[in-house]
Amino acid sequence: MRVISGERKGTRLKAVPGDQTRPTTDKVKESLFNVIGPYFNGGRALDLFAGSGGLGIESLSRGCEEAVFVDQHHKAVQTIQDNLRTTHYTDQARVLKKDVAVALAELASEEPFK
């Protein structure tokens, strides 16, 4: 896994150890961001069931100002934090170790994600 485009293009990302998480492949990530990429101009990203954090990190690399990562599994949270350190995005990220429904309820009162 790697960052496909943007300021951290080519940076390798760790995958979550074990077989509980299936990372988004580079090919799928590239297709997704080819569709939504032209709409990136600052803003906030929300990476639910974040796993390794690849999608949120890709968003940061392409110009999002902040990303919130949500996953309830300890190994995933550790991997996200490692990948954020590798890409130097720790100051632009918030990692929540919570159930997605709980996190969404808490995030509802904040600035919208766009």
Side-chain angles (χ1 to χ4, degrees), residues 12-34:
R12 293 213 168 270
L13 301 174
K14 292 181 181 180
V16 179
D19 60 0
Q20 297 286 31
T21 303
R22 292 185 313 246
T24 304
T25 64
D26 289 350
K27 188 174 183 175
V28 170
K29 195 176 353 177
E30 186 172 12
S31 295
L32 173 66
F33 280 93
N34 281 342

Side-chain angles (χ1 to χ4, degrees), residues 54-90:
L55 294 176
I57 290 170
E58 186 74 32
S59 299
L60 291 168
S61 181
R62 291 176 183 242
C64 276
E65 296 165 354
E66 177 191 14
V68 177
F69 300 84
V70 180
D71 206 298
Q72 66 180 357
H73 299 290
H74 180 72
K75 287 181 183 178
V77 169
Q78 283 183 313
T79 303
I80 294 164
Q81 291 169 336
D82 288 345
N83 285 333
L84 289 169
R85 280 190 291 277
T86 298
T87 56
H88 306 285
Y89 284 132
T90 54

Side-chain angles (χ1 to χ4, degrees), residues 27-54:
K27 188 174 183 175
V28 170
K29 195 176 353 177
E30 186 172 12
S31 295
L32 173 66
F33 280 93
N34 281 342
V35 173
I36 65 174
Y39 301 102
F40 279 47
N41 185 16
R44 298 173 72 211
L46 178 61
D47 191 347
L48 298 174
F49 305 100
S52 66

